[in-house]
Amino acid sequence: MALRDSPFENLKVPLGWAAALALVAAVAAAVVLLVLDRGDEGPRGANDAVRGGFETAAAPVGGVFAAPVRWLGQLSDHIDDYFFAVSENRRLREELARLRAEQDAVVALRNLNARYEAMLGVRVEPDVPLLTARSVSEARGPFRRSRLIDVGSSRGVEVGNPVINEHGLIGRVVGTSGSVSRVLLVTDVASQIPVLVGRTDARAIMRGDGSGNPRLEFVRGADALEVGDRILSSGDGGGVPRGLPIGVAARGIDGTWRVKLFSDRGAIDFVRVMLFEDFSQLANGQTLDAPPLAALDTAPPPTPQVVAQIDDAAGRRRAEEERRRLAEQERREREAADARAREAAAARAREEAAAQATPEPAAPQPDGAEE
């Protein structure tokens, strides 16, 4: 039977009284539990049973009342996480921007260090003093190709010094001041460098025309040049050392021979100036002017074994020379005998021919026969 159909349907209990009674009952239950939990007073089994029954009955009610509290706690955690995530995201963005700037700086320093190592690893043959410099500006035009570098005459740079990078020749110094020098690139129209073909050793002149690939002119020799041949400096004229790498030969669209420059493989920002004047600086003049056997007085005396080997070699050489002399003398005597035999045979032949050509005189006839 439903409550609305029971005799208590019209029973109305004031809300305040109901709340007061519930509060009193709760306080009373709490007091009873405190009294029962005072210690060892009273029967232990009875207390446990009462407390267990109360906890069993109050557990669902406590779970119901605790659920909103948990929900509120979780909601508060979510709100805190949201605002913390916003601030954390902002902090991480700032740190990421800072790290990206540091990464860019590290990459730039790594590339710069790699260029420094490549420049320091450049070795030329013959051994010419090198001076590292940096390109500070560039002058470009329809036919003009030059650069300024941050070293000058105060560091020993002179007009005509070759300039290279880690890949090959890029030009020559055409002007200097105390701290700055001007480099004329090989692509400038005023640049003319004697070169050679590495495969055939053929000579040519590499002339700049303002483009990125200089022309090869006055190539000597038939079939002396093929596509892909290495082009090196020839050293002719003494302005540039022999053997500096320049590029490879290629055919231009106009059919002329051109050079693909090795220096175009990287940026021309760091260069090395070769303090090269002429080939006289590559050797000691006193050493060249010394007599050929000037150093024999300083050599130690030969050992008996070496003396024996020298004497044996000298005896063999003299015997071989004597054998060749006798063979040559015998050959000459044989040729002379053959020549004399040929001359004698020729003389006999001439005598026989002369005898046959002379007519025999007629025999005298008797007198009676004439009548």
Side-chain angles (χ1 to χ4, degrees):
M1 183 176 63
L3 181 61
R4 62 177 178 271
D5 296 334
S6 65
F8 301 101
E9 178 183 2
N10 297 323
L11 180 62
K12 296 182 179 179
V13 179
L15 183 59
W17 288 100
L21 291 176
L23 179 61
V24 171
V27 171
V31 172
V32 173
L33 291 175
L34 290 174
V35 171
L36 294 177
D37 198 32
R38 289 181 60 186
D40 297 334
E41 299 178 358
R44 190 67 180 172
N47 293 342
D48 293 341
V50 173
R51 185 169 56 233
F54 182 79
E55 290 176 354
T56 302
V61 179
V64 173
F65 285 107
V69 177
R70 290 195 303 271
W71 296 339
L72 290 176
Q74 294 176 357
L75 180 60
S76 176
D77 292 339
H78 287 307
I79 294 174
D80 291 341
D81 291 341
Y82 174 76
F83 288 105
F84 178 75
V86 173
S87 61
E88 183 70 11
N89 190 18
R90 186 180 299 111
R91 185 185 65 83
L92 291 175
R93 287 180 181 272
E94 294 175 355
E95 184 176 0
L96 180 61
R98 180 177 59 82
L99 292 178
R100 284 180 176 175
E102 293 182 358
Q103 182 183 10
D104 295 339
V106 169
V107 172
L109 290 176
R110 185 184 298 117
N111 295 334
L112 185 60
N113 189 29
R115 294 296 307 279
Y116 282 153
E117 291 179 353
M119 294 300 299
L120 292 176
V122 173
R123 295 292 184 270
V124 294
E125 183 67 30
D127 190 11
V128 178
L130 299 175
L131 188 63
T132 303
R134 185 169 186 173
S135 176
V136 295
S137 67
E138 179 181 8
R140 298 180 63 88
F143 306 103
R144 188 178 182 184
R145 298 288 188 275
S146 64
R147 287 178 179 266
L148 292 180
I149 57 177
D150 59 354
V151 293
S153 57
S154 61
R155 301 286 300 277
V157 179
E158 297 181 356
V159 174
N161 289 154
V163 181
I164 62 175
N165 64 0
E166 65 270 29
H167 301 295
L169 181 68
I170 66 172
R172 297 180 64 187
V173 176
V174 294
T176 62
S177 64
S179 59
V180 179
S181 300
R182 179 175 297 279
V183 178
L184 185 72
L185 302 183
V186 296
T187 55
D188 192 278
V189 293
S191 175
Q192 299 183 26
I193 298 177
V195 297
L196 61 85
V197 182
R199 181 178 57 86
T200 61
D201 202 31
R203 297 308 200 266
I205 297 295
M206 185 179 70
R207 186 193 303 271
D209 59 357
S211 65
N213 303 111
R215 299 164 58 98
L216 285 177
E217 299 180 351
F218 308 109
V219 180
R220 300 180 183 177
D223 300 330
L225 194 58
E226 294 181 358
V227 175
D229 285 344
R230 286 174 58 89
I231 305 300
L232 310 173
S233 61
S234 65
D236 296 338
V240 179
R242 177 188 174 98
L244 294 181
I246 299 178
V248 295
R251 279 286 189 182
I253 58 176
D254 55 353
T256 60
W257 285 107
R258 294 184 176 269
V259 179
K260 292 182 178 179
L261 299 175
F262 289 147
S263 59
D264 290 340
R265 295 177 177 176
I268 307 177
D269 48 1
F270 292 97
V271 298
R272 305 203 77 179
V273 182
M274 302 180 64
L275 303 182
F276 177 81
E277 300 175 3
D278 52 40
F279 290 102
S280 62
Q281 73 182 99
L282 304 180
N284 188 352
Q286 297 180 355
T287 303
L288 295 177
D289 296 336
L293 303 180
L296 291 181
D297 296 338
T298 61
T303 62
Q305 293 81 2
V306 174
V307 173
Q309 292 177 0
I310 294 175
D311 293 341
D312 181 68
R316 291 175 181 273
R317 184 169 58 253
R318 286 193 297 269
E320 181 66 19
E321 292 177 354
E322 183 66 20
R323 186 186 64 80
R324 292 180 179 177
R325 186 183 65 80
L326 294 177
E328 182 68 17
Q329 183 178 358
E330 183 180 357
R331 183 183 63 80
R332 290 179 179 178
E333 292 177 354
R334 187 169 53 253
E335 290 179 354
D338 293 341
R340 288 194 297 270
R342 286 194 298 271
E343 290 178 357
R348 286 194 300 271
R350 286 195 299 272
E351 291 176 357
E352 292 177 356
Q356 293 177 359
T358 301
E360 295 181 357
Q365 295 181 356
D367 296 338
E370 184 177 352
E371 292 178 0

